[in-house]
Amino acid sequence: MKSRTLKLREAHKVGGSGAAFCSILWDQKAQHFVTSSSSDPSISVHDGRSPSSSPPTILRHHQDGVTALALSHDSSFLASGSIDHCVKLYKFPSGEFQTNITRFTLPIRVLAFNGSGSLLAAAGDDEGIKLINTVDGSIVRVLKGHKGPVTGLDFNPNGELLASLDSNGTVLCWELQSGIVSYTLKSVAPDTGFSTSVVNILRWSPDGRILAVPGLRNDVVMYDRFTGEKLFALRGDHLQSICYITWAPNGKYIATSGLDKQVLLWDLDKKQDIDRQKFEERICCMAWKPNSNALSVIDVRGKYGIWESLVPSSMVAPTVGIPDILPKRRNEILTFDEEMEEELSPSLNDDDDGESHQPSRKRIRRKTVIDDDVDLDEEFYDDGSSIPGYRKKSHGVRSGLPRSIARSTNFKMQKPFQPGATPPEQGKRTFLCYNMLGCITTIEHEGNYRIETDFHDTGRGPRVSSMIDIYGFTMASINESGCVFANPSKGEKNMSVLMYRPFRSWASNSEWTMRFEGEEVKVVANGSGWVAAITSLNLLHIFSEGGLQVSSFAFDCLSCVTIDKHVISLSGPVVTATGCRDQLAVVTHVSDCLPSNEQVMEFRVLNISKMTQQLNGRVALTPGSHLTWIGFSEEGSFSSFDSEGVLRVFTSQYGGSWIPVFSTTKVKKQEENYWVVGLNTTSLYCIACKHPERFPQVTPKPILSILDLSLPLASSDLGAASLENEFILKQLRLYETQRRVDDMAFAEVDTTALEDEAFDLEVSQDRCILRLISSCCSRDKFVRAGELMRLLSLEKSMRAAITLVTKLKLPFLAEKFCSILEEKLLEEANEATENHPQNPSREVVKSKVQNSSALVQTSENTEAVLKASAPKPSATTLVRKAKVSEGLNLGKEQIKRDETDDVKKREVNKLNLMKNPVNSVSSEDKGLRKEANQQDARPSSNPFLKSIV
C-alpha cells in the first residue's frame, strides 16, 4: 500500500501559524458542500459540481468563528454553532437565514440533526446537551451527565438513541424517549483537554448497529449499540491519536484522520487499512460524497480537497448496498409537497395490488380493499388531509387530497377515532387518552407496551401504578372511577380485547377483560358505573363496572328502540363516542360521503342509568371538514369540534340545534393547530400544536391553552363585538340553566342551588345589556336600544336604564323606556292575577299606584321633577312572575280602570318608576324570588326568541 498526495485549495484563512477546527459537509444529492472555520465567522456554500470555477455563497451571520455545522437528513436546513454562543438555522442550499434557534453561555462545539430533522442536538463548553425542537425552537430536554466540554454528538439512524463524547474521553448513550443514560463508557477515548482545534468525535454505522469511537491506542474501537460492549478495534499505521471518523455510505469502509496528519481508509470486513493519504497539516474533518467514490477533507489551516476513487475498483463501491433505514417522523419542519402523494396513496388507492412502497413511517403502508388490519393513521381519518402533519396549507384554507389523487379518487367516510388519542409511533410514547381529568400514555419496548396513567391534579385522583400491556392497546378512556382499554384484532388468533381497570374497589382482583370473536372494538367510553365498547359490526356493548352486560337497545334506521338482552345495534358505522357521568354520546355515519366531500353523521346521547335516549340529531360540520373531537362540557352540554376549527354546542333551542361558540379563524396563529381537550361555559381548553403537527407530543408535557369562547358574529356597526358576544353566550347559559331548573322541578328535585345560579346569571346578563344600551345611545341606535330594554330581566335593571338615558339627555328615549317598563309590569300583573285571582296583594298595589299621583303634575315637568325630587323608598316590584306572585296581583278590570285615569295619574306612575333606580340586586329580592319559585313553577322563556337588530 503506497501513500498518495492530494492537492488542497483554500476555503478559509487562518491567521499566523495557528490551527483552527474546520468543518466540511456534503448535501444528500452531492450538489453542494459547506465549509467553515473556528477562525472565520462566515460559512461558505460551494457548488459540488464545479467548486473551482463557481464562487461559493458566503453566509455572514455569526459574530465570531464557526465551530460546528450540521445538515438535516434531507438537506433542507443547515445549522451552525459558533464561539459567539449562538446556534443559527438556515434554509439550504439558498442560505436564507431563518432564526437564532438557541443560545449558550459558552462556545458551542458540536451540532447534530436527528434523522427526521425535528430535533437538533447542540453542545459545547456549557453543561448539558440541548435537544431543540426545530419547529418552534423550544428546548425539548437538556441531557446532563458529562463532566467536560462535549465535542461529539451523533443520533442513531432510527432516532431512538443519541451518543455523546466529551473532551475527557467519556461516552454516554442516551435513550431519547426517557432521557436516561443507556450505558456509559468511561475514559475510552483520548483526553483532548480544552483545545479548540482537536476534538473527540464518534459515529454510528449507517445501519445503526455499531458505534465507532477513537481509542486510546491510536485505534478505532467498535461498540455494540444495545449493550455498549466492545466488539473489535481497528489498529493500523496511525502513529498518534485519531481525531476524526467518517463511515462510507454503505458501512463497508471507514476513514480516519489522526494527529499524525494521515488519513487511513479501512475495510471493515478485513479489519485492516487498505489505503492512506499523507498531508502537510492535520485533517480535522472529513465527509463522504454521497453518490460517488470520493472523500472530502479539510485541514486545520482551512484548506480543503476531494480524494477521488479512494476505494479500489476491484472492491465493492462505497455507494453499493446502502442500508435502508428511514427515520421516524415527528414534529416535521421539512417540506412534504413531494412526498405527500407517496404517503397518502396507500390509504386512498382502492385498486392497489398490495406491493410495498418505501414509506417514511413504518406504520403507513399499502393495503387492499378487504384488508381489515388497517394502519392506525387510517383509524382516525380516511381522506388524505387527515394524516397528522401532512396538510399542505395552513388552517383556514381548506386543504384536502393532492390534486393528482383527488381527481381520480372518490371521497370516503371518516374512519373511527378515539377522542383524546394520538396516532401511535413505534418507539415513541403516545396518548391513548387525554382529557380534563388526566391522561393515559403508552410506549413500545422490546415487543411489549408500558402504560402509565397520570392525573393533572394529583390530589384529585389516586396514584395508579404503571402497567405492562401484553395486548397492544391502542385506545382508552378515563374518568374518576377507572379506565378502559381496547385493541384491534390482529388476525383470527389475536382477538380484540376490552379491559377495565377500576381505581378503587371493595374487592381484590376487580380488573376484568372481554374478548370479541368475529368483531373488532373501534371506540371505547366509560361513565358512572358503566363501560361501553362499539365494534366493527355496529354493535354497542354496555357493561357494568364489574363486567356484567347490563342493558341493551337497538337503533335501526328509523330510530326506533327495542329491547334485547346483551347488545345494542347502531344504525351505521361508528365514528366516535364519549361518556360523562350517566350520559353516553355515540356518533355514527348516516350515508356515504357526499360528492362535495361532506360527511353525513348523526349522534345520540343515551342515559345509561335510565335506559333512555336524551338527544339525537345530525352532526353539524363545516363543509369539507371532518370531525376531530366530541365531548361534554363541564356543565354537561354535548359539544363537537371539526377540522376547520369550529367548536359547536348542542342546545334544545329551536327543537334542537348546534350553536357555533368558537372558531379558530379569529384567534388562531397561522403556525398553530388546536387539539381540543375540553370546555366550559366561557372557555375552551386545548393544546396548541405547531404547524403542520395536528397532535401533541407526550414529552415535553403539553401545556393547556385557555381560549375565550367567541361566536362567529357578523361585524356590527355598533362597535361592541365583545359585548354582543358576551350577551349571546350569557343568554345561552341562562337558557340551559332555566331548562335544568324546569326539568328538576318537574322531577320534584330541590332546585335552590340552580335558582341561585340562574338569578346570578340574570343579573350578569342585565349588566351586559346596560352596557350595550349605552353603546347604542352613543351611536344613535335608539331602536336597537329599545329592543335591548325589552330583554332586561329585572325591574331594577330597567330603572337603571331609564336613569342612564335621562342622564344622557335623551328624554324621548326615557319616555319610551318608561312605556316599556309599564307594559312589562302590566303583563306580569295579568299573569299574577290569572294564577292567583284571590290574592289580596293587588289591592295593596292599586293603593300604592293611586297614592303616588300626588308626586307630579304633568309629563312636561317629568325631567325637572326627576332632578328636584329625592328618591323615596317604595315596595319592591319584581318583574319576573316568581317575584310578583305575592305583591303584584291586579285583576284585568282594575288595570283597565287605572288606564282610564287622568294624565296626571299616568305621569305619577312613570315618575315613581324613574325615581327609584337600583344599581344592584338586594338580598331581599333574591329571597323573594326563591320563595315565589317554590310556590309557583312556570315554563322557562326562550331568550333567543328575542333578537337584536
Side-chain angles (χ1 to χ4, degrees):
M1 179 180 66
K2 63 178 181 178
S3 64
R4 295 180 291 178
T5 302
L6 177 65
K7 185 178 179 180
L8 304 182
R9 61 176 60 94
E10 187 177 79
H12 301 272
K13 290 185 178 181
V14 178
S17 59
F21 179 78
C22 302
S23 303
I24 188 166
L25 296 174
W26 277 99
D27 67 6
Q28 288 298 311
K29 296 181 180 179
Q31 295 178 350
H32 301 85
F33 64 92
V34 190
T35 60
S36 67
S37 171
S38 61
S39 64
D40 186 355
S42 65
I43 301 170
S44 298
V45 180
H46 304 262
D47 189 331
R49 290 160 291 191
S50 56
S52 59
S53 60
S54 301
T57 302
I58 307 299
L59 310 180
R60 305 180 188 275
H61 295 279
H62 284 289
Q63 304 299 318
D64 211 331
V66 178
T67 54
L69 293 176
L71 269 173
S72 60
H73 183 73
D74 71 341
S75 303
S76 295
F77 290 90
L78 171 69
S80 64
S82 170
I83 299 174
D84 64 9
H85 312 163
C86 292
V87 177
K88 299 180 184 292
L89 194 67
Y90 316 82
K91 283 187 178 179
F92 192 83
S94 66
E96 179 185 349
F97 176 72
Q98 295 295 291
T99 183
N100 288 315
I101 198 165
T102 192
R103 183 177 177 84
F104 286 70
T105 57
L106 293 174
I108 296 156
R109 299 285 198 104
V110 62
L111 299 172
F113 277 102
N114 70 343
S116 67
S118 62
L119 284 181
L120 175 66
D125 294 346
D126 277 21
E127 181 185 3
I129 303 165
K130 289 184 180 180
L131 298 182
I132 306 160
N133 186 329
T134 54
V135 177
D136 57 6
S138 61
I139 305 299
V140 176
R141 180 171 281 153
V142 177
L143 306 175
K144 295 184 179 182
H146 286 287
K147 296 182 179 179
V150 177
T151 60
L153 289 173
D154 198 25
F155 283 94
N156 189 274
N158 68 4
E160 295 179 352
L161 302 174
L162 173 67
S164 59
L165 175 60
D166 60 30
S167 60
N168 299 325
T170 298
V171 175
L172 298 180
C173 187
W174 307 85
E175 291 183 2
L176 293 179
Q177 184 63 42
S178 60
I180 63 174
V181 176
S182 177
Y183 54 82
T184 301
L185 306 175
K186 190 173 182 180
S187 301
V188 296
D191 188 340
T192 60
F194 289 90
S195 172
T196 57
S197 64
V198 180
V199 297
N200 273 332
I201 196 164
L202 75 176
R203 287 289 181 262
W204 290 103
S205 62
D207 61 7
R209 296 180 180 179
I210 299 174
L211 179 63
V213 181
L216 298 175
R217 299 181 179 181
N218 307 333
D219 56 357
V220 180
V221 183
M222 306 297 176
Y223 296 93
D224 181 77
R225 165 193 172 186
F226 297 104
T227 64
E229 295 179 358
K230 180 178 177 179
L231 300 177
F232 59 91
L234 300 177
R235 185 176 300 116
D237 292 336
H238 274 300
L239 304 176
Q240 291 179 279
S241 299
I242 291 174
C243 59
Y244 204 88
I245 302 169
T246 183
W247 290 83
N250 60 3
K252 294 184 178 295
Y253 309 100
I254 190 170
T256 60
S257 67
L259 300 180
D260 57 2
K261 303 179 184 180
Q262 290 190 100
V263 172
L264 268 60
L265 177 65
W266 304 80
D267 185 334
L268 266 292
D269 293 334
K270 298 178 180 179
K271 297 181 176 59
Q272 65 180 23
D273 54 328
I274 57 175
D275 205 350
R276 75 176 66 179
Q277 182 77 255
K278 184 72 175 179
F279 295 89
E280 294 180 359
E281 297 290 345
R282 172 166 45 89
I283 299 299
C284 54
C285 187
M286 301 180 292
W288 282 86
K289 195 172 182 179
N291 57 2
S292 65
N293 182 14
L295 178 71
S296 297
V297 299
I298 190 168
D299 66 17
V300 294
R301 300 294 296 171
K303 296 181 179 180
Y304 77 93
I306 300 177
W307 182 1
E308 301 282 356
S309 303
L310 70 163
V311 176
S313 58
S314 59
M315 303 180 68
V316 178
T319 56
V320 175
I322 298 175
D324 185 18
I325 296 181
L326 296 176
K328 302 176 179 64
R329 295 182 180 271
R330 192 162 191 170
N331 286 339
E332 289 296 306
I333 60 171
L334 310 180
T335 304
F336 301 104
D337 291 3
E338 296 179 359
E339 37 187 57
M340 189 173 178
E341 293 185 4
E342 294 180 5
E343 298 186 36
L344 294 181
S345 57
S347 62
L348 296 172
N349 190 352
D350 286 347
D351 297 325
D352 188 276
D353 55 6
E355 293 181 2
S356 175
H357 284 229
Q358 294 295 339
S360 65
R361 290 192 278 190
K362 291 185 178 180
R363 71 176 188 277
I364 299 181
R365 57 176 179 81
R366 286 190 177 269
K367 70 181 189 72
T368 60
V369 178
I370 60 173
D371 186 1
D372 291 328
D373 187 16
V374 295
D375 63 271
L376 288 163
D377 268 3
E378 294 179 338
E379 282 293 319
F380 279 78
Y381 311 109
D382 194 60
D383 61 278
S385 63
S386 63
I387 296 180
Y390 289 86
R391 294 189 64 168
K392 293 184 183 179
K393 299 179 182 179
S394 62
H395 190 80
V397 181
R398 294 182 193 135
S399 60
L401 303 173
R403 289 188 294 271
S404 60
I405 297 177
R407 284 193 292 264
S408 60
T409 305
N410 293 325
F411 296 110
K412 296 182 180 180
M413 295 189 298
Q414 179 178 339
K415 290 298 183 74
F417 70 93
Q418 183 71 35
T422 58
E425 293 188 50
Q426 187 175 5
K428 303 293 184 181
R429 187 173 294 278
T430 55
F431 289 112
L432 295 180
C433 175
Y434 192 107
N435 59 24
M436 295 296 291
L437 178 66
C439 64
I440 301 175
T441 60
T442 182
I443 184 173
E444 182 184 7
H445 182 66
E446 297 181 354
N448 289 326
Y449 295 82
R450 185 181 184 87
I451 292 178
E452 294 184 357
T453 303
D454 297 297
F455 292 90
H456 304 315
D457 182 359
T458 55
R460 184 176 177 183
R463 183 177 179 84
V464 181
S465 59
S466 60
M467 178 180 71
I468 300 299
D469 171 22
I470 62 175
Y471 300 105
F473 293 130
T474 60
M475 65 197 84
S477 179
I478 184 175
N479 65 6
E480 293 84 352
S481 302
C483 50
V484 57
F485 305 89
N487 68 328
S489 61
K490 300 177 182 178
E492 296 180 358
K493 296 183 179 180
N494 296 317
M495 293 184 291
S496 187
V497 175
L498 178 74
M499 176 180 178
Y500 180 68
R501 190 182 188 191
F503 296 144
R504 301 179 183 88
S505 178
W506 58 270
S508 60
N509 194 24
S510 52
E511 296 182 4
W512 51 264
T513 59
M514 298 285 175
R515 287 174 170 79
F516 295 84
E517 185 175 359
E519 55 185 324
E520 180 180 52
V521 177
K522 295 294 186 181
V523 183
V524 295
N526 63 334
S528 299
W530 56 268
V531 174
I534 306 172
T535 69
S536 56
L537 297 182
N538 302 341
L539 300 179
L540 169 59
H541 298 262
I542 299 178
F543 305 87
S544 68
E545 275 193 326
L548 178 67
Q549 299 193 50
V550 293
S551 60
S552 56
F553 304 87
F555 299 110
D556 61 16
C557 52
L558 297 177
S559 299
C560 65
V561 180
T562 61
I563 294 182
D564 194 19
K565 281 193 174 181
H566 302 290
V567 72
I568 300 173
S569 285
L570 301 177
S571 58
V574 65
V575 180
T576 187
T578 187
C580 177
R581 295 185 285 274
D582 290 336
Q583 294 178 304
L584 169 64
V586 181
V587 177
T588 58
H589 285 287
V590 176
S591 68
D592 290 335
C593 188
L594 299 179
S596 59
N597 192 23
E598 293 184 41
Q599 303 287 331
V600 185
M601 306 175 186
E602 66 179 1
F603 74 93
R604 289 184 172 88
V605 178
L606 310 177
N607 188 304
I608 302 301
S609 62
K610 296 180 180 179
M611 299 176 66
T612 59
Q613 179 175 285
Q614 292 183 333
L615 301 171
N616 73 293
R618 291 290 179 91
V619 177
L621 294 172
T622 305
S625 68
H626 50 259
L627 190 64
T628 59
W629 178 86
I630 65 167
F632 291 91
S633 69
E634 292 181 359
E635 295 74 23
S637 298
F638 182 53
S639 312
S640 70
F641 189 78
D642 65 28
S643 59
E644 290 298 325
V646 179
L647 176 70
R648 296 175 176 87
V649 174
F650 189 80
T651 174
S652 57
Q653 298 175 25
Y654 303 110
S657 58
W658 290 94
I659 296 181
V661 296
F662 179 84
S663 177
T664 58
T665 55
K666 293 189 175 182
V667 299
K668 175 182 176 294
K669 299 179 181 178
Q670 188 174 4
E671 66 277 8
E672 287 184 343
N673 295 314
Y674 295 119
W675 194 68
V676 176
V677 176
L679 73 155
N680 57 22
T681 55
T682 60
S683 304
L684 171 68
Y685 297 90
C686 62
I687 296 172
C689 303
K690 294 297 180 181
H691 183 77
E693 285 296 315
R694 310 292 296 179
F695 300 94
Q697 303 178 47
V698 176
T699 54
K701 187 176 182 180
I703 299 176
L704 277 182
S705 299
I706 304 177
L707 306 176
D708 293 332
L709 297 185
S710 177
L711 284 81
L713 302 177
S715 298
S716 172
D717 57 0
L718 195 60
S722 60
L723 283 177
E724 292 176 334
N725 180 77
E726 180 185 352
F727 168 62
I728 296 178
L729 288 175
K730 289 183 183 297
Q731 274 191 320
L732 174 62
R733 185 179 176 187
L734 178 60
Y735 173 80
E736 292 299 327
T737 304
Q738 290 174 343
R739 182 185 60 82
R740 289 163 59 194
V741 170
D742 294 341
D743 292 342
M744 293 175 65
F746 180 79
E748 298 182 352
V749 179
D750 182 28
T751 61
T752 304
L754 272 181
E755 287 176 353
D756 290 345
E757 181 181 346
F759 185 75
D760 293 338
L761 286 173
E762 285 181 337
V763 174
S764 178
Q765 179 180 271
D766 280 2
R767 289 173 182 164
C768 181
I769 294 175
L770 288 173
R771 294 199 298 272
L772 282 171
I773 290 175
S774 178
S775 297
C776 289
C777 293
S778 64
R779 297 294 183 98
D780 296 336
K781 305 296 181 183
F782 302 123
V783 174
R784 200 175 304 176
E787 292 172 339
L788 288 167
M789 177 66 176
R790 295 182 184 277
L791 295 178
L792 289 169
S793 300
L794 303 176
E795 178 194 355
K796 294 180 180 181
S797 301
M798 301 182 81
R799 291 183 177 183
I802 295 171
T803 302
L804 171 65
V805 297
T806 301
K807 289 182 178 180
L808 293 175
K809 301 185 183 303
L810 299 171
F812 68 95
L813 191 58
E815 184 175 355
K816 178 64 176 177
F817 280 13
C818 289
S819 300
I820 293 172
L821 177 55
E822 184 177 0
E823 290 174 8
K824 198 160 190 176
L825 289 174
L826 293 176
E827 290 175 3
E828 298 293 345
N830 290 341
E831 287 186 20
T833 304
E834 290 175 359
N835 293 327
H836 301 277
Q838 304 301 324
N839 197 324
S841 61
R842 62 177 182 171
E843 298 297 335
V844 178
V845 175
K846 172 187 173 183
S847 175
K848 289 184 179 182
V849 172
Q850 291 176 342
N851 292 338
S852 64
S853 60
L855 293 176
V856 70
Q857 298 278 322
T858 64
S859 60
E860 296 176 357
N861 298 325
T862 299
E863 187 172 349
V865 173
L866 278 171
K867 295 179 179 179
S869 302
K872 292 186 177 182
S874 61
T876 302
T877 306
L878 302 178
V879 175
R880 290 174 54 91
K881 186 195 77 174
K883 302 180 182 70
V884 303
S885 59
E886 293 295 333
L888 252 173
N889 290 308
L890 293 174
K892 292 183 178 179
E893 295 180 358
Q894 183 62 41
I895 293 173
K896 290 181 181 179
R897 288 196 298 270
D898 290 343
E899 290 177 344
T900 59
D901 285 346
D902 59 340
V903 176
K904 292 183 180 181
K905 191 176 296 184
R906 292 178 59 85
E907 293 302 329
V908 168
N909 292 341
K910 296 178 183 179
L911 180 60
N912 281 341
L913 296 173
M914 291 186 288
K915 283 180 59 182
N916 295 283
V918 181
N919 296 323
S920 61
V921 180
S922 65
S923 59
E924 179 184 3
D925 285 343
K926 192 172 180 180
L928 288 172
R929 183 187 178 283
K930 291 184 194 176
E931 182 179 354
N933 275 341
Q934 291 172 357
Q935 292 180 0
D936 181 26
R938 62 169 186 81
S940 295
S941 60
N942 186 342
F944 276 86
L945 293 178
K946 305 171 183 178
S947 61
I948 302 177
V949 177

